[in-house]
Amino acid sequence: MIKVGIIGASGYTGSELLRILAQHPEAEVTAITSRTYEGRKLEEVYGGFTGWNGPVFNGSDSIDAVAGCDVVFLAMPHGVAINLVPSLLEKGQKVIDLGADFRFRDAQIYESWYKLQHTQRELTKNAVYGLPEIYRKQIRQAMLVGNPGCYPTSIILAIYPLLKAGLADPDRIIIDSKSGVSGAGRKADLAYNFPELFGNFKAYGLAGHRHTPEIEQELSLAAGKAVKATFSPHLLPVARGILSTIYLNLTKEITTEEVEEILTRSYQGEPFVKIIKEPRLPELKWVAGTNCCHIGVRVDRRTNQLIVVSVIDNMVKGAAGQAIQNMNLMCDLPETMGLQQWPVYP
Amino acid sequence: MIKVGIIGASGYTGSELLRILAQHPEAEVTAITSRTYEGRKLEEVYGGFTGWNGPVFNGSDSIDAVAGCDVVFLAMPHGVAINLVPSLLEKGQKVIDLGADFRFRDAQIYESWYKLQHTQRELTKNAVYGLPEIYRKQIRQAMLVGNPGCYPTSIILAIYPLLKAGLADPDRIIIDSKSGVSGAGRKADLAYNFPELFGNFKAYGLAGHRHTPEIEQELSLAAGKAVKATFSPHLLPVARGILSTIYLNLTKEITTEEVEEILTRSYQGEPFVKIIKEPRLPELKWVAGTNCCHIGVRVDRRTNQLIVVSVIDNMVKGAAGQAIQNMNLMCDLPETMGLQQWPVYP
Amino acid sequence: MIKVGIIGASGYTGSELLRILAQHPEAEVTAITSRTYEGRKLEEVYGGFTGWNGPVFNGSDSIDAVAGCDVVFLAMPHGVAINLVPSLLEKGQKVIDLGADFRFRDAQIYESWYKLQHTQRELTKNAVYGLPEIYRKQIRQAMLVGNPGCYPTSIILAIYPLLKAGLADPDRIIIDSKSGVSGAGRKADLAYNFPELFGNFKAYGLAGHRHTPEIEQELSLAAGKAVKATFSPHLLPVARGILSTIYLNLTKEITTEEVEEILTRSYQGEPFVKIIKEPRLPELKWVAGTNCCHIGVRVDRRTNQLIVVSVIDNMVKGAAGQAIQNMNLMCDLPETMGLQQWPVYP
Amino acid sequence: MIKVGIIGASGYTGSELLRILAQHPEAEVTAITSRTYEGRKLEEVYGGFTGWNGPVFNGSDSIDAVAGCDVVFLAMPHGVAINLVPSLLEKGQKVIDLGADFRFRDAQIYESWYKLQHTQRELTKNAVYGLPEIYRKQIRQAMLVGNPGCYPTSIILAIYPLLKAGLADPDRIIIDSKSGVSGAGRKADLAYNFPELFGNFKAYGLAGHRHTPEIEQELSLAAGKAVKATFSPHLLPVARGILSTIYLNLTKEITTEEVEEILTRSYQGEPFVKIIKEPRLPELKWVAGTNCCHIGVRVDRRTNQLIVVSVIDNMVKGAAGQAIQNMNLMCDLPETMGLQQWPVYP
């Protein structure tokens, strides 16, 4: 039984880790921390956990709180994990950081987009970007994983194989993403007050969202050259899920069916990626509560565009589920363990 | 042209007053106040008002801000209006308070339920409870109106005539109300964070909500004896509207049609109250954005219960619309002026 | 491995059975039927099942379609199951009917409320009402279970122990229930067209809903005398969940805490029923996707009323989950097998 | 007083025409038709119209039903209006068609995208495309107006002046639009069953939606050369509103502020188009229930893209409101008459 600790467990990512780990046959949560809820039971914060018999919230975010844990998940604001990771690694604990601190190969890019100084540049070299569909081998060996952002997961999975296949012009990639509100986290903020968002919809963070360099980092590796992407996030009036619609300039003539074929072959054997074939297109709720990513494509011959649509649950494949998938790999467990639920629908 | 001032105009009630007054042919908003948004344009707070050419927010809540206004609306937290009203009245300004400070004939009841001291007990005697369907005559003469609460409006209109007709036992009235989230006001509060409420539903404030004594005050007058009501509010995952389901013990044999007839007669000529007859029942969205109250009834012969269902828009008939209806009456204007919109549906 | 067949598997109840059974370690779905979708793969109807490798839809609803199954779930319109059950039982198959045909001890009540003739009155005597918290022993021995209705489950669990304890007057029970739209089933009907219900809320079926006699049947057994209940269902603008608010006339002085104590003792050891204690109250999403029922209470001393609030997921504890809980009992498996998920929240 | 008839008045477009016309000081609805609801009162179909004292539904869709009307609105399925229009025009009635039959200058394009034969090709030459911001003069003289589609309105208003200014490459325009469900009309269809769409989101009609040629027709006129646009509609889980996010390849260096300036100048004096300036961006609910279009822009210097975001209410500026704006122009009334409501928010 793997002992698991979660630092910063009272947010939505924390509670989602707990939801999934509660079903995991080989993991046991032995420590959860939250400065806000020190000494409180989980069910006092999340009524749905009434009857859960795990630990109460430890009020300290220090590494002592997770002493004895084999794996530690960090669900902290950007910049905070940097200082905790070295000590955790020294104690031989495996670390999965759900923030942005260890997602970048080039710490300078992190510093320029996140306006923070990166005090552990050396560590970034050993950190693995936790997208198993691309870095499975490295994750198995890793002690430190930078768990991908929610938007980047939905986007990279959708078009990585297509850029790799040279199908599309890497110079003009348009990404129009729509996310449920849980992506903004659990916080008291007038902008997320229920009546403001009910029946509403809007774009935000245009031409500057911090997930952009993360997306470009991975897509550039796929394309074999620097990729520039226009990334436009929108706020959907739902709790969960991300749908990304991606527009690629085709570099050669190809049919919808042939593109589907390329994706199908690329993801052959992948447990969590599924290609939705014409005439169907992926829907947000088809992956709600699951670790799956669904991808559909259409070639628009009139305009020579390839339109790619992907859906994930931002809380699962976009955060906690992927983190547990990474934990499974790092701990030599079956990759899908604890992650095989079907969506709650309708 | 009547000059109107709104103290506390940046909340949802304030913006709803502004929405309706902007269409009012005989009223002009000349002053709006908000401590939070001093000097800001209305459209900076509510983007929907982009292009509105009224005044900017005055940062003071003092009465000087509304000097020169003929009518002043107070949309303040409970207890704050008490201290502003005397000076406003001294200047001859008509006052409509949208809070609870002047709704009670007996200031002691106010003090015991609101846990505040009422320093203007004399004024409560001159204040009129602003429900035109009952107090039209007095409102026409009033200088100070206590605008009814949203829940009480939906409940009193629904059963006042039935209690007056002696149809029901006043000792056991069960009121199960459901309100949209705008009723909680415009505030940054984790409890109203969009993801918490999306797809959710709950009861709150059971056996102690502060609208209870207001409901009982008016229903007792209808029944001619002290009424005791069990009032249970619930939070609907929508922005607007209140639906109240009310259960009355019938004191005599009567049919659904006969009860409909009593209500129809009682509200004959009322512009904003409509009886929805069997087999139809009122729906929340039928009154969205309007000043209307729809009422439907069913007699359950098996259990000898009379079930009454009413709907209002909590922001309109439950607050701003009713306040403007009162203004029309106080200013000798046609009662329906500016209030005749049909619902935005679907 | 238990072989399971589902007759009428393309509706929401069918797909929910499939969602849960896909995780069940001791059950294997070997046959699903649907006249509409003959020969089609499940994923063509429910995209969320893309990758599921169970059987395709058999186009026949006859018992041949489920030959060889140990357990057969019937998810058919009322009146249809009656004719299938005898042959299934003859073949030694265990039957769980999710419709109303076998919920009543007195077939005459069924006939009068459902306007159908019951041609298998003898069978109703052997059928067990599938509410494990009350009939666990009988279910273990049963070959035929009438799975309870969604509303009745939420109501009976909430107040059965309280009526049994003689706390409340059985003559005037008021039940105000609110259900998500999935309760109406999967059908093309203008009344359930998305724009009609979005942001909307309404009561329906007042003074005559067919779940009333089912509720009264069980509550009468609890009270030891005939119970008459006023039952008012409402349509919540969400996909899933039922919240029932129940009003009981107290027959003696008691505190909220004492009532909580009675419920806690009654449900001691029950895996799926949880008492939510003051100051908390149950919320709809706390049980979404789970087989749990949460119950909270408040005594209103002013009015001598006991207010009981319960929540269930109408698709799980209100239908498919409870059916599988019954299957576990009938097949001598651990009662909670396959049913221990925590809610997907937020 | 202008006499107005509506053929096909029981759909959402029809009821929206009625909502707005009920407030119009110079128009009177004298005839409404619906084959489905012959002889029924409007309030039986739309409860929100309870108390409305206009005509009942005429069961015939023939032109006799609207005899004596000065203006006739046609809210029919595509292809049906074609046959009614000649007779209406012969009687000297002004016609506003809310379908696609008279939107195209080239009937062949209509035939190829709508798969219908256009039997009144001559009439298309006299029909005016009813977008007042571009064709105000012609509309004033017109007897027949083809009212624009909802998506095209949101898109053409957003970028017409920018293409006209030569800012953007007309060869690669990407349009990612999101619409509320009322855009699909009032119909019983499983695809729009409430539980299917609640909490859901999806793309549809990729690379082939029939609004594409209408968009290209107008944008080509703006650009002065043939425009090809990739148009991707999505279904938002709300009742009303369209938000379009449009991506343009910039042909020269320009700032966000300069683009805002171009739009502001272009729409100087326009009563219904408003430019939302940085740092704000338009939100769907800011125009709900109004005839307004809000437009915001951002230049992404890194990728040389111009991102344009527009919002309209699909039922108002996207259909009924724009039709009434056209009626006002055709009848020499003030253009904004009956159309000056502010949004119902929140």
Side-chain angles (χ1 to χ4, degrees):
Chain A
M1 205 63 139
I2 292 161
K3 287 194 179 105
V4 172
I6 303 171
I7 297 185
S10 68
Y12 291 149
T13 305
S15 77
E16 190 71 357
L17 284 165
L18 288 164
R19 175 178 79 87
I20 301 172
L21 289 167
Q23 299 292 303
H24 196 289
E26 294 289 341
E28 186 194 358
V29 176
T30 59
I32 60 177
T33 84
S34 160
R35 271 177 294 190
T36 313
Y37 297 103
E38 172 161 21
R40 306 283 286 278
K41 296 172 72 175
L42 178 59
E43 71 186 51
E44 295 177 68
V45 183
Y46 291 101
F49 278 104
T50 297
W52 188 71
N53 50 19
V56 301
F57 285 112
N58 187 317
S60 152
D61 284 344
S62 81
I63 60 163
D64 297 344
V66 295
C69 291
D70 304 303
V71 176
V72 177
F73 293 96
L74 300 174
M76 314 286 291
H78 305 304
V80 180
I82 293 177
N83 302 312
L84 297 174
V85 166
S87 316
L88 293 166
L89 292 178
E90 265 167 39
K91 303 205 170 184
Q93 295 174 300
K94 294 184 164 92
V95 179
I96 300 166
D97 178 25
L98 288 104
D101 295 359
F102 295 97
R103 291 177 190 159
F104 294 91
R105 278 143 219 260
D106 181 347
Q108 227 166 332
I109 290 180
Y110 170 86
E111 295 188 341
S112 119
W113 284 79
Y114 285 81
K115 316 292 178 207
L116 291 165
Q117 222 194 317
H118 202 304
T119 55
Q120 300 291 337
R121 287 169 169 246
E122 278 311 299
L123 275 180
T124 64
K125 294 184 189 153
N126 301 319
V128 177
Y129 188 71
L131 198 59
E133 287 76 9
I134 304 181
Y135 299 106
R136 183 168 284 115
K137 269 190 204 165
Q138 297 91 316
I139 295 166
R140 285 195 206 279
Q141 315 299 329
M143 289 303 289
L144 172 58
V145 161
N147 210 59
C150 49
Y151 285 121
T153 296
S154 80
I155 294 157
I156 298 164
L157 287 176
I159 61 172
Y160 191 98
L162 305 176
L163 291 177
K164 197 157 195 176
L167 281 187
D169 179 356
D171 290 339
R172 195 187 175 217
I173 298 176
I174 307 284
I175 304 164
D176 193 284
S177 292
K178 301 89 176 172
S179 172
V181 186
S182 62
R186 185 171 178 270
K187 57 186 165 200
D189 185 330
L190 193 47
Y192 305 111
N193 192 31
F194 185 88
E196 301 288 323
L197 300 180
F198 179 78
N200 207 351
F201 183 66
K202 64 177 170 187
Y204 70 98
L206 299 186
H209 192 280
R210 299 190 296 190
H211 280 171
T212 311
E214 187 182 337
I215 295 161
E216 289 182 349
Q217 168 181 283
E218 297 304 316
L219 296 186
S220 296
L221 291 165
K225 54 177 286 198
V227 157
K228 283 260 173 284
T230 303
F231 170 55
S232 301
H234 298 71
L235 198 60
L236 272 177
V238 306
R240 284 175 174 247
I242 287 177
L243 184 147
S244 292
T245 313
I246 307 168
Y247 300 87
L248 301 173
N249 260 342
L250 280 169
T251 52
K252 57 174 178 178
E253 222 167 272
I254 193 165
T255 65
T256 294
E257 205 180 349
E258 287 165 341
V259 181
E260 288 174 353
E261 189 48 41
I262 290 170
L263 286 169
T264 303
R265 239 180 301 123
S266 300
Y267 289 119
Q268 189 82 32
E270 282 298 340
F272 297 120
V273 181
K274 292 165 189 173
I275 312 310
I276 304 297
K277 296 197 175 157
E278 202 177 7
R280 295 197 302 154
L281 280 168
E283 301 188 14
L284 199 71
K285 275 212 297 192
W286 291 0
V287 296
T290 82
N291 200 46
C292 289
C293 175
H294 287 191
I295 305 169
V297 297
R298 286 296 180 282
V299 169
D300 187 343
R301 288 185 196 205
R302 289 177 61 258
T303 61
N304 200 37
Q305 294 291 307
L306 174 55
I307 309 162
V308 187
V309 178
S310 74
V311 291
I312 62 168
D313 184 324
N314 62 307
M315 302 297 292
V316 191
K317 185 63 177 169
Q322 185 143 272
I324 289 164
Q325 187 179 357
N326 284 323
M327 178 195 81
N328 286 341
L329 289 168
M330 293 162 87
C331 297
D332 215 15
L333 295 169
E335 186 172 347
T336 60
M337 188 172 264
L339 293 166
Q340 291 182 301
Q341 302 177 343
W342 295 94
V344 174
Y345 184 97
Chain B
M1 205 63 139
I2 292 162
K3 289 196 179 105
V4 173
I6 304 172
I7 297 185
S10 68
Y12 291 149
T13 305
S15 76
E16 190 72 356
L17 283 166
L18 288 164
R19 174 178 80 86
I20 300 172
L21 288 167
Q23 299 292 305
H24 196 291
E26 295 289 342
E28 186 195 357
V29 176
T30 57
I32 60 178
T33 84
S34 159
R35 271 176 294 191
T36 313
Y37 297 104
E38 172 161 19
R40 307 281 285 279
K41 294 172 74 177
L42 179 59
E43 72 184 51
E44 295 177 69
V45 183
Y46 292 99
F49 278 104
T50 297
W52 187 71
N53 51 19
V56 301
F57 284 112
N58 187 317
S60 153
D61 284 344
S62 80
I63 58 160
D64 296 343
V66 294
C69 291
D70 303 303
V71 176
V72 177
F73 293 96
L74 301 174
M76 315 285 291
H78 305 304
V80 179
I82 293 177
N83 302 311
L84 296 175
V85 167
S87 317
L88 293 167
L89 292 179
E90 265 166 40
K91 302 203 170 187
Q93 295 174 301
K94 294 184 163 95
V95 179
I96 299 166
D97 178 25
L98 288 103
D101 295 359
F102 294 98
R103 290 177 190 159
F104 294 91
R105 279 147 216 256
D106 181 348
Q108 227 167 331
I109 290 180
Y110 170 86
E111 295 189 341
S112 120
W113 284 80
Y114 284 81
K115 315 291 178 208
L116 291 166
Q117 222 192 317
H118 202 304
T119 54
Q120 302 291 337
R121 288 172 169 242
E122 278 310 300
L123 275 181
T124 63
K125 293 182 190 155
N126 301 320
V128 177
Y129 188 71
L131 198 58
E133 288 77 9
I134 303 183
Y135 299 106
R136 184 168 285 117
K137 269 190 205 165
Q138 296 92 318
I139 295 166
R140 284 195 207 277
Q141 315 300 330
M143 289 302 290
L144 172 59
V145 160
N147 209 57
C150 50
Y151 285 122
T153 296
S154 81
I155 293 156
I156 298 164
L157 287 176
I159 61 172
Y160 191 96
L162 305 175
L163 290 177
K164 196 154 192 177
L167 280 188
D169 179 356
D171 290 338
R172 196 187 175 217
I173 297 176
I174 306 284
I175 304 164
D176 194 283
S177 291
K178 303 88 177 173
S179 172
V181 186
S182 62
R186 184 170 178 270
K187 57 187 165 199
D189 185 329
L190 194 47
Y192 304 111
N193 193 29
F194 185 88
E196 301 287 324
L197 298 182
F198 179 77
N200 207 352
F201 184 66
K202 64 177 170 186
Y204 70 97
L206 298 186
H209 192 280
R210 296 189 298 188
H211 279 172
T212 311
E214 187 182 336
I215 296 161
E216 289 181 349
Q217 166 180 285
E218 298 304 316
L219 296 185
S220 296
L221 290 166
K225 54 178 287 197
V227 155
K228 282 257 173 287
T230 302
F231 170 54
S232 301
H234 298 72
L235 199 60
L236 273 178
V238 306
R240 282 176 175 246
I242 288 178
L243 185 148
S244 291
T245 314
I246 308 169
Y247 300 87
L248 301 174
N249 260 343
L250 281 169
T251 50
K252 57 174 178 178
E253 222 166 273
I254 195 165
T255 66
T256 294
E257 206 181 347
E258 287 165 342
V259 180
E260 289 174 353
E261 189 48 41
I262 290 170
L263 286 169
T264 302
R265 241 180 301 125
S266 301
Y267 289 119
Q268 188 82 29
E270 282 298 339
F272 297 120
V273 181
K274 292 165 189 173
I275 311 310
I276 304 297
K277 298 198 174 158
E278 203 175 8
R280 297 196 301 154
L281 279 168
E283 301 189 13
L284 200 70
K285 275 211 296 191
W286 291 0
V287 296
T290 81
N291 200 45
C292 291
C293 175
H294 286 191
I295 305 169
V297 297
R298 287 295 181 282
V299 169
D300 188 342
R301 287 183 196 207
R302 290 177 59 257
T303 61
N304 198 36
Q305 294 291 308
L306 174 56
I307 309 163
V308 187
V309 177
S310 74
V311 291
I312 61 168
D313 183 323
N314 61 308
M315 302 296 291
V316 192
K317 186 64 179 168
Q322 184 142 273
I324 289 164
Q325 188 179 356
N326 284 322
M327 179 194 81
N328 286 341
L329 289 168
M330 293 163 86
C331 298
D332 215 15
L333 296 169
E335 186 172 348
T336 61
M337 189 173 263
L339 293 167
Q340 291 183 297
Q341 303 176 341
W342 295 93
V344 174
Y345 184 96
Chain C
M1 206 63 138
I2 292 161
K3 286 192 181 110
V4 173
I6 303 172
I7 297 185
S10 68
Y12 291 149
T13 305
S15 78
E16 190 71 357
L17 283 165
L18 288 163
R19 175 178 79 88
I20 301 172
L21 289 166
Q23 299 292 303
H24 196 290
E26 295 289 342
E28 187 194 357
V29 175
T30 58
I32 60 177
T33 84
S34 160
R35 270 175 295 188
T36 314
Y37 297 104
E38 172 160 22
R40 306 283 285 279
K41 295 173 72 176
L42 179 58
E43 73 185 50
E44 294 177 70
V45 183
Y46 292 101
F49 279 103
T50 298
W52 188 71
N53 51 19
V56 301
F57 285 111
N58 187 316
S60 153
D61 285 343
S62 80
I63 60 161
D64 297 344
V66 294
C69 292
D70 304 303
V71 176
V72 178
F73 293 96
L74 302 174
M76 315 286 289
H78 306 302
V80 179
I82 293 177
N83 303 312
L84 297 174
V85 167
S87 317
L88 293 166
L89 292 178
E90 265 167 39
K91 302 203 171 186
Q93 295 174 302
K94 294 185 164 91
V95 179
I96 299 166
D97 177 25
L98 288 103
D101 295 359
F102 295 98
R103 291 177 189 159
F104 293 90
R105 277 146 219 258
D106 181 348
Q108 226 166 334
I109 290 180
Y110 170 86
E111 295 188 339
S112 119
W113 284 79
Y114 285 81
K115 316 291 177 206
L116 291 165
Q117 222 193 316
H118 202 304
T119 54
Q120 300 292 336
R121 288 169 169 244
E122 277 310 300
L123 275 180
T124 62
K125 293 182 190 155
N126 301 319
V128 177
Y129 188 70
L131 197 59
E133 288 76 9
I134 304 182
Y135 300 105
R136 185 168 283 115
K137 268 190 204 164
Q138 296 91 316
I139 295 166
R140 284 196 208 277
Q141 315 300 329
M143 288 302 290
L144 172 59
V145 161
N147 210 58
C150 50
Y151 285 122
T153 296
S154 80
I155 294 157
I156 298 164
L157 287 175
I159 59 171
Y160 191 97
L162 305 175
L163 290 178
K164 196 156 194 177
L167 280 188
D169 179 354
D171 289 338
R172 195 187 175 217
I173 297 176
I174 307 284
I175 303 164
D176 193 282
S177 291
K178 301 88 176 173
S179 172
V181 186
S182 61
R186 184 170 178 272
K187 55 186 165 200
D189 184 330
L190 193 47
Y192 304 111
N193 192 30
F194 185 88
E196 301 288 323
L197 299 181
F198 179 77
N200 208 351
F201 183 66
K202 64 177 170 187
Y204 69 97
L206 299 187
H209 192 281
R210 298 189 298 189
H211 280 172
T212 311
E214 187 181 337
I215 295 162
E216 289 181 349
Q217 168 181 283
E218 297 304 315
L219 296 185
S220 296
L221 290 165
K225 54 179 285 198
V227 156
K228 282 258 174 286
T230 303
F231 169 55
S232 301
H234 298 71
L235 199 60
L236 272 177
V238 306
R240 283 175 175 248
I242 288 177
L243 184 148
S244 292
T245 313
I246 308 169
Y247 299 88
L248 301 174
N249 260 341
L250 280 169
T251 51
K252 56 175 178 176
E253 222 168 273
I254 194 164
T255 66
T256 294
E257 207 181 348
E258 287 166 343
V259 179
E260 288 174 354
E261 188 49 40
I262 290 169
L263 286 170
T264 303
R265 240 180 300 125
S266 300
Y267 289 119
Q268 188 82 32
E270 281 299 338
F272 296 120
V273 182
K274 291 164 190 174
I275 312 309
I276 304 298
K277 297 199 175 157
E278 202 178 6
R280 298 197 300 155
L281 280 168
E283 301 189 14
L284 199 72
K285 275 212 296 191
W286 291 1
V287 297
T290 81
N291 201 45
C292 290
C293 175
H294 286 191
I295 306 169
V297 297
R298 287 295 180 283
V299 169
D300 188 342
R301 288 186 194 204
R302 289 177 60 257
T303 60
N304 199 37
Q305 294 291 309
L306 175 56
I307 309 162
V308 187
V309 177
S310 75
V311 291
I312 61 169
D313 185 324
N314 62 306
M315 302 297 292
V316 192
K317 185 64 178 170
Q322 185 143 273
I324 289 164
Q325 186 179 356
N326 284 322
M327 178 194 83
N328 286 341
L329 288 168
M330 292 163 86
C331 297
D332 214 16
L333 295 169
E335 186 172 346
T336 61
M337 187 172 264
L339 293 167
Q340 291 183 299
Q341 302 176 342
W342 295 94
V344 174
Y345 184 98
Chain D
M1 206 65 139
I2 292 161
K3 288 195 179 108
V4 173
I6 304 171
I7 297 185
S10 68
Y12 291 149
T13 304
S15 77
E16 189 71 356
L17 284 166
L18 287 164
R19 174 178 80 86
I20 301 172
L21 289 167
Q23 299 292 304
H24 196 290
E26 295 289 342
E28 186 195 357
V29 176
T30 57
I32 59 178
T33 83
S34 161
R35 270 176 295 190
T36 313
Y37 298 103
E38 172 161 20
R40 306 281 286 277
K41 294 172 74 177
L42 179 58
E43 72 184 51
E44 295 177 68
V45 183
Y46 292 101
F49 279 104
T50 298
W52 187 72
N53 50 20
V56 301
F57 285 112
N58 187 317
S60 154
D61 284 343
S62 81
I63 58 160
D64 297 342
V66 294
C69 292
D70 304 302
V71 176
V72 177
F73 293 97
L74 301 174
M76 315 286 290
H78 305 304
V80 179
I82 294 177
N83 303 312
L84 297 174
V85 167
S87 316
L88 293 166
L89 292 177
E90 265 166 40
K91 303 205 169 185
Q93 295 174 301
K94 295 187 163 89
V95 179
I96 299 165
D97 178 24
L98 288 103
D101 295 359
F102 295 98
R103 292 178 190 157
F104 294 91
R105 279 146 217 258
D106 181 347
Q108 227 166 330
I109 290 181
Y110 169 86
E111 294 188 341
S112 121
W113 284 79
Y114 284 82
K115 315 291 177 206
L116 291 164
Q117 222 192 318
H118 202 303
T119 54
Q120 300 291 338
R121 287 170 169 245
E122 278 310 299
L123 275 181
T124 64
K125 292 182 189 156
N126 301 319
V128 177
Y129 188 70
L131 198 59
E133 288 76 9
I134 304 182
Y135 299 105
R136 184 168 285 117
K137 269 188 205 167
Q138 296 91 317
I139 295 166
R140 283 194 208 276
Q141 315 300 330
M143 288 303 290
L144 171 58
V145 161
N147 209 59
C150 49
Y151 285 122
T153 296
S154 80
I155 293 156
I156 297 164
L157 287 176
I159 61 172
Y160 190 96
L162 305 175
L163 291 178
K164 195 154 194 179
L167 281 189
D169 179 355
D171 289 339
R172 196 187 175 218
I173 297 176
I174 308 284
I175 303 164
D176 193 284
S177 292
K178 303 88 175 172
S179 172
V181 186
S182 62
R186 183 169 179 271
K187 56 187 165 199
D189 184 330
L190 194 46
Y192 304 111
N193 193 29
F194 184 89
E196 301 288 322
L197 299 182
F198 179 77
N200 207 352
F201 183 66
K202 64 177 170 186
Y204 70 98
L206 299 186
H209 192 281
R210 298 189 297 188
H211 280 172
T212 310
E214 187 182 336
I215 296 162
E216 290 181 348
Q217 166 181 284
E218 298 303 317
L219 295 185
S220 296
L221 291 166
K225 54 178 286 196
V227 156
K228 282 257 173 286
T230 303
F231 169 55
S232 302
H234 298 72
L235 199 59
L236 273 178
V238 305
R240 282 178 175 244
I242 287 177
L243 185 148
S244 291
T245 312
I246 308 169
Y247 301 87
L248 301 174
N249 260 342
L250 281 169
T251 51
K252 57 174 177 177
E253 221 167 273
I254 195 165
T255 65
T256 294
E257 207 181 346
E258 288 164 342
V259 180
E260 288 174 353
E261 189 48 40
I262 291 170
L263 286 169
T264 302
R265 238 180 304 126
S266 301
Y267 289 120
Q268 188 83 30
E270 282 296 341
F272 297 120
V273 181
K274 291 166 190 173
I275 311 310
I276 304 296
K277 296 199 174 157
E278 202 175 9
R280 297 196 299 155
L281 280 168
E283 302 190 13
L284 199 71
K285 274 212 296 191
W286 291 0
V287 297
T290 82
N291 200 45
C292 290
C293 175
H294 287 192
I295 305 170
V297 297
R298 287 294 181 282
V299 169
D300 188 342
R301 286 184 198 207
R302 290 177 59 257
T303 61
N304 198 36
Q305 293 291 308
L306 174 56
I307 309 162
V308 187
V309 177
S310 74
V311 291
I312 60 167
D313 184 323
N314 62 308
M315 301 296 292
V316 191
K317 186 63 178 169
Q322 184 143 272
I324 289 164
Q325 187 179 358
N326 284 322
M327 177 194 81
N328 287 340
L329 289 168
M330 293 163 87
C331 297
D332 214 17
L333 296 169
E335 186 171 347
T336 60
M337 189 173 263
L339 294 167
Q340 291 183 297
Q341 301 177 343
W342 295 93
V344 175
Y345 184 96

